[in-house]
Amino acid sequence: MINRFGSGDTWIFILLSTALFLVFFIPQLVLHINYYMKNKGDIFFYDPVGQRITINHKGESASFSFSDIELIKRFKSYPLAEDRMQWFPWDNYNYSMVRLKNGQEFIITSLLVPNMDLPIDSDKIKIMKRFYPIVQ
C-alpha cells in the first residue's frame, strides 16, 4: 500500500481493516460464547443400533429413543439450510431444539454435535432459517 499510494493513507487503511475485521469477528465470537454456555459440560451419546440418544446436561442424564421425539426444530443460517455458499463466518453455526412427547426440551448446539442429521421421520424435523442463529 505504501509503495503504491504513499504513506498518507496508511492509518486510514489500518482503521478500515480493523473495523471490517471486528464487524465479522465480534458477531461470531458472541455466537460462539452463546453456544458454549448453552452446552458447557454436556455429553451427547447417540446409539445408532438401538436408535437411542443419551444427553447428560448439568449432571442429569436423560435417555430416549427416536419414537419419544415429538419435534426437532433445526435453526440454521440461510446458506447452511439451503446448501449454498457461506458468506459470513457464523453461517456454519446451527442448533437444534429437541422436544420430547413428555414435554422435555433439549438444546443441542453445533459445538456439541456439528451435524444433527438423525435418521428420523422428516415430518418430525422443522428447519428454521435465520440470518444469525443465536440461541434465545
Side-chain angles (χ1 to χ4, degrees):
M1 290 285 299
I2 292 172
N3 289 340
R4 184 167 181 164
F5 299 108
S7 63
D9 295 335
T10 304
W11 286 107
I12 294 172
F13 174 73
I14 291 171
L15 288 174
L16 288 176
S17 298
T18 303
L20 190 63
F21 172 75
L22 291 177
V23 163
F24 282 95
F25 178 72
I26 289 175
Q28 183 179 4
L29 180 64
V30 168
L31 194 63
H32 194 87
I33 291 170
N34 177 261
Y35 280 25
Y36 177 76
M37 296 308 288
K38 285 292 180 189
N39 286 143
K40 181 180 176 182
D42 290 359
I43 298 172
F44 182 91
F45 179 73
Y46 166 58
D47 177 18
V49 176
Q51 291 192 334
R52 292 194 65 78
I53 295 173
T54 303
I55 298 174
N56 188 353
H57 178 68
K58 298 190 192 258
E60 296 182 20
S61 184
S63 183
F64 52 90
S65 65
F66 288 172
S67 61
D68 296 332
I69 297 174
E70 180 181 335
L71 179 68
I72 297 179
K73 285 186 182 178
R74 307 242 5 237
F75 295 86
K76 297 180 172 185
S77 65
Y78 286 97
L80 185 63
E82 297 168 1
D83 199 23
R84 293 188 285 127
M85 187 172 115
Q86 298 172 6
W87 289 87
F88 298 105
W90 59 83
D91 280 343
N92 211 20
Y93 285 73
N94 63 86
Y95 71 96
S96 300
M97 187 186 70
V98 180
R99 184 183 316 142
L100 302 180
K101 291 179 180 174
N102 66 6
Q104 282 184 301
E105 289 186 353
F106 301 97
I107 293 178
I108 310 296
T109 65
S110 57
L111 293 183
L112 184 61
V113 179
N115 189 1
M116 253 314 257
D117 290 334
L118 298 173
I120 65 172
D121 296 333
S122 61
D123 59 331
K124 290 185 176 183
I125 299 173
K126 185 175 182 181
I127 304 292
M128 310 293 284
K129 299 176 188 178
R130 303 280 188 263
F131 173 73
Y132 187 69
I134 193 162
V135 179
Q136 303 292 333

